[in-house]
Amino acid sequence: MPAAPSAPAPNPEPPYDLAPSDDRCATVATPDRHTARLHLAGDLDHTTADELLALAVRQIATQPGLRDLHLNCAQVRACDPMGLSVLLALYRRTSAAGIHLHLDDRPPAPVTAS
């Protein structure tokens, strides 16, 4: 009887893509071993902030040599105080690790009447 084929070994090299759990979550792309791009969508608020922090921390841990962490904010609709808190926490973690945090494609600030 022939042996059953073995499962392919996990690839330790990029891309380290992590699948989103739903449409509000970030997706990850790794164009090279020194760069990760998290594409955010929806609201960055009390319901999604912890998930973003966990995803970013996991990406930092699984991608040795990371130098630049880009958060693409083009599809972010809103950011509440919890979202801002997570961005600050990410900034502190990346700075301590020698990683540059980039907030890319931020939507323009809303115009308010004076």
Side-chain angles (χ1 to χ4, degrees), residues 5-95:
S6 61
N11 184 1
E13 296 300 315
Y16 303 98
D17 295 337
L18 303 173
S21 61
D22 62 32
D23 65 342
R24 297 175 306 152
C25 181
T27 58
V28 180
T30 54
D32 60 61
R33 68 187 193 107
H34 299 295
T35 307
R37 298 182 188 283
L38 279 64
H39 298 271
L40 311 182
D43 297 338
L44 182 52
D45 60 14
H46 67 282
T47 62
T48 60
D50 288 339
E51 188 175 356
L52 172 60
L53 183 61
L55 180 67
V57 168
R58 188 171 48 216
Q59 189 66 29
I60 291 166
T62 60
Q63 192 172 348
L66 184 64
R67 294 182 191 153
D68 292 287
L69 178 60
H70 294 264
L71 303 182
N72 184 306
C73 302
Q75 295 180 335
V76 173
R77 295 183 305 240
C79 184
D80 76 0
M82 187 65 162
L84 292 174
S85 178
V86 163
L87 292 174
L88 181 58
L90 270 177
Y91 172 75
R92 289 178 178 154
R93 284 179 186 240
T94 55
S95 293

